[in-house]
């Protein structure tokens, strides 16, 4: 089993140091996963209290084991991260001094064949981060109208051959519904032109990404989660977000930029003194991992990190 190596860990510790060094404070790890970032942050800041969220019960179980050595400094909440304010309230808190999002799937989710995230292995077409609820990737493939499928592949997978793929999918599902990834991967090999296969990565990559985003409602959840999280951040508190896809990074960038503008009391953007912004951006553009980290941890190659500090009360 591959170990999940936390991405840009030193930079994250550095960004949270002014908030948590030698001080009591609450950090929400909105995507605790296997607890890699959380473990290191609890170690670095001995007075930190952590609220750990994940929508995947298996991830919560793993991180609970890993973080047990920190005792009652950690609370775990099974939730989708747009429920962050309610999660805080469920453990008796209203605001946080720090919030961390490390978006996407963990190595554990990719490794567990039965979860259906990996196209390299033949597995059930599931892809739910929370297998206790919702619909599967097979449901999407077998029941969505062709036009909807094309939209999903284009919007969430940025797939150029969406029309061609969906035509093959519809033909195939009329014969027999999809149940496993192997049949879909085979179909994608035939549907994506050979020339693109050589240059555009694995022919299943974009379709699998699109299905995963649809099954988990990833972009809609993130769109709701950013304002919910920023509203729960104390003045002086910091938020750090790591994205691995341009679609997610764009949403994060917009949400942070919006609150970093000065505003009139009515909420309209202005450039006048006395109408300060809510947020100060701590990163110029998005930060990336260095070559050395990418060498050690290939997952770091696509990371985009953005961070901000709350400098004014929410309006
Ligand atoms: C990249 S992993 C986090 C890894 C973690 N930082 C570590 O160091 O071990 C992302 C985690 O976020 C969870 N996740 C993804 N989307 C979520 C959502 N909308 N709500 C809650 N958890 C989510 C996934 O289940 C996964 O466990």
């Amino acid at each position: 089993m591959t170990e999940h190596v936390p991405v840009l860990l030193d930079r994250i510790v550095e960004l949270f140091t002014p908030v948590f060094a030698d001080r009591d404070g609450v950090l929400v790890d909105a995507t605790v996963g296997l607890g890699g970032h959380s473990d290191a942050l609890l170690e670095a800041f001995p007075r930190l209290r952590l609220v750990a969220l994940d929508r995947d019960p298996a991830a919560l179980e793993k991180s609970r084991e890993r973080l047990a050595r920190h005792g009652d400094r950690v609370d775990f909440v099974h939730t989708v991260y747009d429920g962050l304010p309610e999660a805080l309230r469920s453990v008796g808190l209203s605001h946080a001094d720090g919030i961390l999002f490390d978006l996407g799937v963990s190595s554990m989710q990719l490794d567990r064949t039965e979860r259906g995230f990996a196209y390299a292995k033949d597995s059930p077409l599931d892809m739910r981060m929370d297998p206790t609820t919702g619909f599967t990737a097979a449901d999407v493939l077998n029941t969505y109208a062709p036009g909807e499928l094309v939209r999903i592949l284009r919007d969430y997978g940025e797939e150029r051959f969406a029309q061609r793929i969906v035509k093959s999918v519809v033909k195939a599902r009329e014969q027999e519904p999809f149940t496993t990834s192997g049949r879909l991967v085979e179909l994608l090999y035939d549907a994506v032109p050979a020339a693109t296969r050589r240059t555009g990565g694995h022919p299943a990559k974009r379709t699998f990404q699109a299905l995963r985003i649809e099954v988990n409602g990833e972009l809609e959840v993130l769109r709701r989660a950013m304002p919910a999280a920023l509203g729960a951040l104390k003045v002086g508190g910091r938020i750090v977000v790591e994205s691995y896809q341009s679609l997610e990074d764009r949403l994060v960038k917009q949400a942070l930029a919006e609150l970093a503008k000065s505003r009139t009391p009515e909420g309209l953007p202005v450039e006048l003194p006395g109408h300060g912004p809510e947020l100060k951006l701590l990163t110029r553009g998005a930060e990336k991992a260095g070559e050395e980290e990418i060498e050690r941890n290939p997952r770091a190659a696509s990371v985009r990190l953005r961070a901000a500090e709350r400098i004014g009360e929410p309006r």
Side-chain angles (χ1 to χ4, degrees):
M1 182 158 292
T2 352
E3 194 199 343
H4 187 101
V5 186
V7 174
L8 288 174
L9 180 57
D10 292 347
R11 178 65 177 134
I12 289 175
V13 171
E14 182 181 49
L15 281 162
F16 281 127
T17 294
V19 186
F20 294 119
D22 309 315
R23 220 172 298 165
D24 293 338
V26 173
L27 173 76
V28 179
D29 184 344
T31 52
V32 68
L34 304 185
H37 284 111
S38 279
D39 195 24
L41 289 162
L42 285 157
E43 184 82 45
F45 307 119
R47 291 165 63 183
L48 183 73
R49 174 174 172 191
L50 186 95
V51 184
L53 318 183
D54 207 292
R55 74 191 295 181
D56 182 352
L60 282 176
E61 201 182 304
K62 280 270 163 208
S63 57
R64 206 183 277 277
E65 278 168 30
R66 179 165 188 177
L67 303 179
R69 68 193 186 93
H70 301 288
D72 62 5
R73 294 169 64 201
V74 192
D75 286 293
F76 296 87
V77 186
H78 179 218
T79 183
V80 179
Y81 50 51
D82 59 349
L84 188 151
E86 295 77 22
L88 271 174
R89 280 199 288 280
S90 76
V91 296
L93 297 165
S94 60
H95 288 83
D97 305 277
I99 301 178
L100 171 66
F101 285 88
D102 178 19
L103 303 176
V105 279
S106 69
S107 312
M108 180 187 72
Q109 288 164 329
L110 289 171
D111 277 346
R112 290 199 176 171
T113 311
E114 75 280 8
R115 304 289 299 268
F117 287 107
Y119 48 77
K121 302 164 195 159
D122 192 21
S123 53
L125 272 171
D126 191 322
M127 300 195 200
R128 285 170 300 168
M129 288 186 193
D130 180 354
T132 64
T133 179
F135 53 87
T136 66
D139 295 332
V140 173
L141 275 183
N142 293 327
T143 65
Y144 277 30
E148 254 313 83
L149 285 175
V150 170
R151 183 192 65 79
I152 289 167
L153 295 197
R154 280 203 185 127
D155 289 0
Y156 301 163
E158 298 176 285
E159 173 59 73
R160 280 161 59 201
F161 302 103
Q163 286 277 11
R164 198 194 283 229
I165 291 170
V166 170
K167 222 171 140 188
S168 306
V169 165
V170 170
K171 212 164 143 198
R173 78 185 187 188
E174 275 165 8
Q175 280 152 15
E176 200 190 335
F178 284 91
T179 53
T180 58
S181 57
R183 183 159 166 244
L184 177 62
V185 171
E186 224 170 84
L187 178 151
L188 293 167
Y189 259 106
D190 293 337
V192 175
T196 317
R197 260 186 259 151
R198 281 195 294 276
T199 53
H202 195 289
K205 191 175 149 192
R206 292 168 187 278
T207 296
F208 270 59
Q209 172 181 308
L211 288 171
R212 198 196 86 198
I213 292 178
E214 173 64 15
V215 164
N216 296 289
E218 288 177 43
L219 298 180
E220 296 92 79
V221 171
L222 184 61
R223 204 173 281 125
R224 288 194 299 269
M226 291 308 294
L230 291 164
L233 199 59
K234 277 186 204 158
V235 172
R238 291 185 166 195
I239 182 165
V240 178
V241 187
E242 292 190 310
S243 316
Y244 299 85
Q245 294 163 15
S246 51
L247 298 164
E248 288 175 338
D249 182 51
R250 211 175 301 150
L251 279 182
V252 174
K253 178 182 170 184
Q254 283 166 358
L256 297 182
E258 192 49 38
L259 296 188
K261 287 181 195 151
S262 298
R263 287 164 187 282
T264 64
E266 296 78 41
L268 300 168
V270 284
E271 296 301 330
L272 294 173
H275 297 292
E278 287 181 40
L279 285 186
K280 176 176 84 183
L281 301 180
L282 301 170
T283 43
R284 275 186 172 274
E287 292 185 8
K288 301 180 185 175
E291 273 173 35
E292 206 185 298
E293 178 168 358
I294 296 171
E295 188 105 344
R296 276 186 282 118
N297 183 10
R299 238 176 70 76
S302 49
V303 75
R304 298 290 177 270
L305 180 147
R306 295 183 189 269
E309 179 173 320
R310 180 169 279 293
I311 53 171
E313 294 289 350
R315 289 173 198 278

